[in-house]
Amino acid sequence: MPEIFEVETLESYRIKSLPGSAFYIPDFISAHEEQFLLEKIINVPDSRWTALSHRRLQTYPTQLLKGSILPTADALPTWLAIPCVSRMKQFGIWNDSPHLTANHCLINRYEPGEGIMPHEDGDVYYPMVATVSLNDAIVLDIYRKELNAGGERVLAHRIYQEPRSLLITTDLIYTDYLHGIQEITIDKNIGPSTISNWKNLTFDTQQRVLHQIGQQQQEERQTGILPDDRMYVKGADIPRTKDRISLTFRDVKKVRNFSAFMRKS
Ligand SMILES: O=C(O)CCC(=O)C(=O)O
Ligand SMILES: [Fe+2]
């Protein structure tokens, strides 16, 4: 396949309203593939999970050593490599990374109300993250690194991640911003003007959200909260009903026994 075709294909998934380069591919995996991955992730001994204060975590192929070195020459297990990483490669996304592939995957599991504090992923990884979302949708918040004059975080963008989607964040979004998931049970104010990747979402989600906004408007008019002559400007409030599981694929820069890794992958 000529490379130019691959680049053009990824280009059509660009989130145009974000600075730098970010891409969102809805339905990156099928419902069947999602189910297969969920079974692999959920049917493990409890000891496979690391319990953190507001989420649970599995790490593949293994945790990093001190100094952020990936200690193993083993590639990711096949069930993570195919179809997720193999399909990413068809889009050419690892063409410039040091090992030409994702060599590491964090699996985060968030119950409704759980999240992850604003943070940056830093220098340990090639500056690109490819995140596959499973089971439920969630909003990823993108913050400026600098606090405002009042010392508060400034929310710059909101990315709505549907189940089965792939989100790719790189360059400016990776280096100049923080990202986090709020510890809330309802993602509020979801709509065309509040979500950076609104145009990239599935038609199904767009229709569902617009329908809900219409219903909220009608309820607020009926109860008198919204006077008849005022325009309704709020988005939909969408409850998180199930655990959201994310697969965060990255290329760890430092690998022990790199040549063996390249032979095996
Ligand atoms: O679950 C996510 O989508 C975000 C996870 C994350 O930011 C991380 O593991 O560094
Ligand atoms: Fe992160």
Side-chain angles (χ1 to χ4, degrees):
M1 195 186 293
E3 194 164 311
I4 194 111
F5 175 72
E6 293 170 12
V7 172
E8 270 178 10
T9 308
L10 184 62
E11 192 52 40
S12 65
Y13 295 102
R14 180 181 287 278
I15 307 176
K16 292 197 177 118
S17 61
L18 290 181
S21 296
F23 304 90
Y24 180 85
I25 307 182
D27 288 328
F28 179 68
I29 58 169
S30 69
H32 183 77
E33 289 164 342
E34 177 188 36
Q35 212 46 48
F36 173 76
L37 284 166
L38 284 171
E39 275 159 29
K40 283 285 191 187
I41 292 163
I42 287 163
N43 296 327
V44 294
D46 277 354
S47 58
R48 194 73 183 77
W49 291 101
T50 307
L52 302 171
S53 56
H54 295 283
R55 62 192 160 106
R56 272 175 285 171
L57 183 68
Q58 289 179 36
T59 311
Y60 291 93
T62 185
Q63 288 181 350
L64 302 187
L65 296 174
K66 245 191 163 151
S68 305
I69 297 169
L70 184 62
T72 173
D74 292 343
L76 288 171
T78 309
W79 62 271
L80 281 173
I82 302 168
C84 290
V85 180
S86 54
R87 209 164 284 162
M88 289 170 197
K89 285 184 179 170
Q90 288 173 8
F91 285 97
I93 75 166
W94 301 106
N95 283 358
D96 296 326
S97 86
H99 307 108
L100 307 174
T101 189
N103 59 12
H104 198 247
C105 180
L106 286 185
I107 301 182
N108 280 298
R109 179 174 184 169
Y110 307 85
E111 289 176 24
E114 294 189 316
I116 185 166
M117 298 284 283
H119 66 280
E120 58 184 318
D121 289 349
D123 203 32
V124 174
Y125 311 100
Y126 173 73
M128 184 167 72
V129 191
T131 306
V132 176
S133 292
L134 307 177
N135 210 42
D136 204 6
I138 216 162
V139 172
L140 183 77
D141 291 315
I142 308 289
Y143 301 88
R144 295 191 200 290
K145 272 192 184 170
E146 314 76 37
L147 302 177
N148 69 10
E152 292 152 346
R153 285 240 166 279
V154 182
L155 180 62
H157 305 282
R158 300 171 77 209
I159 301 174
Y160 192 70
Q161 288 175 280
E162 299 161 285
R164 298 178 293 286
S165 67
L166 174 69
L167 173 68
I168 301 162
T169 50
T170 185
D171 63 65
L172 280 185
I173 285 284
Y174 190 97
T175 54
D176 290 14
Y177 290 82
L178 307 178
H179 56 277
I181 294 168
Q182 288 184 52
E183 290 160 9
I184 50 181
T185 54
I186 302 175
D187 281 308
K188 295 204 167 163
N189 200 14
I190 307 297
S193 60
T194 60
I195 293 297
S196 304
N197 60 327
W198 173 263
K199 289 189 179 147
N200 308 64
L201 297 175
T202 56
F203 181 69
D204 201 51
T205 296
Q206 291 174 340
Q207 291 303 302
R208 212 158 19 85
V209 171
L210 291 176
H211 179 74
Q212 193 178 322
I213 293 174
Q215 277 186 328
Q216 284 176 204
Q217 171 172 356
Q218 206 175 8
E219 273 166 33
E220 293 203 9
R221 283 219 201 286
Q222 275 163 3
T223 52
I225 297 174
L226 183 74
D228 273 349
D229 57 348
R230 195 168 320 149
M231 234 178 69
Y232 191 78
V233 288
K234 272 189 272 172
D237 295 341
I238 303 181
R240 297 182 190 166
T241 55
K242 295 189 282 182
D243 291 5
R244 183 263 185 172
I245 293 173
S246 62
L247 313 182
T248 308
F249 291 93
R250 289 179 276 217
D251 187 355
V252 178
K253 288 182 184 167
K254 290 188 213 159
V255 177
R256 188 187 274 175
N257 198 356
F258 170 64
S259 55
F261 175 81
M262 286 307 275
R263 276 201 301 278
K264 287 185 189 178
S265 62

